[in-house]
Amino acid sequence: MRIDLHTHSDRSDGTDPPAELVRRAHEQGVDVLGLTDHDTAEGWQEAADAARRTGVTLVRGIEVSCRFGGYGVHLLAYLPDPTYPPLVAELQRVLDGRNARLPATLERLRRLGIDIDVDDVRAVAGETAAMGRPHVADALVALGVVRDRNAAFGRFLGPQGPAYVHRYAAELEAMICTVAEAGGVTVVAHPWASRHDHSALDERGLARLKAAGLSGIEVDHHDHPTGTRERLRELARRLELVVTGSSDHHGTGKPGHELGSLTTAPEQLERLLDLASAASASSGRRTPEVLQRSTAS
Ligand code: AMP
Ligand code: ZN
Ligand code: FE
Ligand code: FE
């Protein structure tokens, strides 16, 4: 049983349409796939149709851009009712922040002598509902300024880069509660990734998130060195949090994150799904067309 709970389609900053992502997952021997586009559920329907055709079990998710202790944190929200009004409203604020950042980023590039306009980025961004730096990176690649996304982040778009612009993100503890009220569960994504400052996500911070309703920690992630994974696994055990593992696949946008390259243990998925059932029982909200338990076990 191969379970990959964190992937992106072209509805955010992955490069494959949702149906193609599911098809590839099936081809790579992934049995359970989490589609977790940034800040949007836009790809769910297409992915669900493809999942039904291929026999892949789809776990519907969203990777929500959050803020905690002044730092950016990504929160994986699984199986919320995507029509829950407070969730819809907060995701819209995040998406508005993404759209507002784009012209500001392009203005900074212009001052560096690189002339790209919003339409150029929209042209390379295709179907995305979550405009982001990776799309600006793609426009820089198209213009021949850099070789790939990674180089664009290194030279211009990373937090220390000359074209970096801050954007709105949801308050983390409030979002954990909102997702629970929407009948879903939350897992903190790559909390100790090397390129993030994670001082707010130490044991005390994670214990606070658990108290707010957090269900799990993404331990096995490519941005966590081996030693980090083992320390996080031990911490998750102490805090009784679910341990997940995933590829964070972005298609050709992020080499080294192949589908199914890191996975979640079946019993950990079971725990997560039990917690999601409990959340929807107490909130009265559930993901439309929730996945079949029988195919996940
Ligand atoms: P944004 O959502 O616009 O703030 O951009 C963050 C996204 O860029 C995340 O999905 C990351 O996966 C992606 N990203 C961050 N650093 C890099 C990098 N060095 N190369 C490629 N993608 C990156
Ligand atoms: Zn991404
Ligand atoms: Fe992330
Ligand atoms: Fe991600």
Side-chain angles (χ1 to χ4, degrees):
M1 175 69 64
R2 281 178 106 186
I3 303 166
D4 185 345
L5 290 182
H6 175 174
T7 68
H8 297 266
S9 77
D10 68 356
R11 300 309 131 94
S12 63
D13 57 358
T15 54
D16 289 323
E20 178 67 7
L21 179 74
V22 171
R23 197 192 60 74
R24 283 182 196 271
H26 180 63
E27 213 173 72
Q28 305 290 315
V30 171
D31 306 289
V32 180
L33 179 75
L35 172 64
T36 53
D37 277 315
H38 298 282
D39 309 314
T40 183
E42 199 69 25
W44 286 10
Q45 190 57 55
E46 184 182 313
D49 293 341
R52 213 170 297 113
R53 284 196 300 273
T54 53
V56 167
T57 296
L58 181 71
V59 179
R60 295 159 172 79
I62 303 169
E63 185 176 17
V64 185
S65 308
C66 294
R67 195 86 54 204
F68 184 60
Y71 298 105
V73 174
H74 287 175
L75 183 70
L76 296 162
Y78 293 109
L79 304 169
D81 177 350
T83 68
Y84 179 55
L87 179 62
V88 172
E90 191 57 14
L91 290 177
Q92 192 56 54
R93 273 186 87 176
V94 175
L95 295 174
D96 290 346
R98 289 179 166 280
N99 289 326
R101 178 174 59 172
L102 177 60
T105 304
L106 298 180
E107 180 51 37
R108 289 188 179 235
L109 287 172
R110 215 162 285 127
R111 278 188 240 147
L112 297 167
I114 300 163
D115 197 13
I116 296 175
D117 61 42
V118 170
D119 290 339
D120 297 330
V121 182
R122 294 216 181 271
V124 293
E127 298 289 328
T128 195
M131 182 57 76
R133 287 176 286 166
H135 306 108
V136 177
D138 290 345
L140 286 164
V141 173
L143 205 63
V145 179
V146 289
R147 192 166 35 88
D148 56 21
R149 281 186 179 180
N150 201 30
F153 273 84
R155 263 180 73 188
F156 301 106
L157 302 168
Q160 313 306 331
Y164 179 78
V165 177
H166 188 79
R167 68 172 164 86
Y168 177 78
E171 204 283 309
L172 181 61
E173 288 170 287
M175 182 49 71
I176 289 171
C177 296
T178 301
V179 172
E181 287 162 10
V185 288
T186 49
V187 172
V188 63
H190 47 69
W192 292 355
S194 32
R195 72 187 143 77
H196 294 293
D197 185 318
H198 41 74
S199 44
L201 293 174
D202 57 5
E203 178 154 8
R204 275 181 55 194
L206 289 167
R208 225 175 97 184
L209 299 183
K210 158 105 186 179
L214 183 76
S215 290
I217 301 181
E218 186 179 54
V219 169
D220 292 298
H221 186 280
H222 291 292
D223 293 349
H224 289 158
T226 316
T228 299
R229 293 181 202 177
E230 294 326 307
R231 284 197 302 280
L232 260 180
R233 206 183 310 280
E234 173 55 25
L235 191 48
R237 199 189 56 74
R238 278 208 300 278
L239 295 174
E240 298 183 335
L241 288 162
V242 172
V243 168
T244 70
S246 38
S247 66
D248 201 357
H249 181 73
H250 280 71
T252 56
K254 240 185 185 183
H257 292 246
E258 302 326 311
L259 281 165
S261 53
L262 288 173
T263 57
T264 298
E267 67 273 14
Q268 299 295 316
L269 175 62
E270 275 305 302
R271 280 178 72 193
L272 204 57
L273 296 179
D274 286 343
L275 291 165
S277 299
S280 45
S282 66
S283 69
R285 292 203 169 253
R286 57 182 322 182
T287 317
E289 203 198 352
V290 87
L291 85 169
Q292 295 298 306
R293 297 298 301 271
S294 55
T295 53
S297 53

